[in-house]
Amino acid sequence: MADFQSEFYGKIFETYLPQSGHEMDMRPQLEVYDDRFMKTGAFDIYIPVK
């Protein structure tokens, strides 16, 4: 799982974020694991941008 997380976050911070025209705001990011995680592995990631 660690390799997947590294690759996943790498794509967010090295690919998507620079291409989006946004930059990260230095506030905490948040991962939300709710009942979907137990059923399907889905979760939400919130990354503050400015």
Side-chain angles (χ1 to χ4, degrees):
M1 176 110 167
D3 290 336
F4 171 76
Q5 285 179 321
S6 296
E7 183 178 331
F8 183 72
Y9 277 96
K11 286 185 182 194
I12 291 172
F13 292 110
E14 296 169 11
T15 303
Y16 171 74
L17 197 58
Q19 291 177 358
S20 73
H22 296 287
E23 60 183 87
M24 187 168 174
D25 189 8
M26 292 311 201
R27 293 178 286 152
Q29 53 192 12
L30 179 66
E31 294 179 1
V32 176
Y33 298 88
D34 56 19
D35 59 327
R36 295 172 302 141
F37 183 74
M38 296 304 290
K39 295 175 186 173
T40 65
F43 62 98
D44 298 320
I45 299 174
Y46 297 91
I47 299 171
V49 296
K50 49 181 170 176

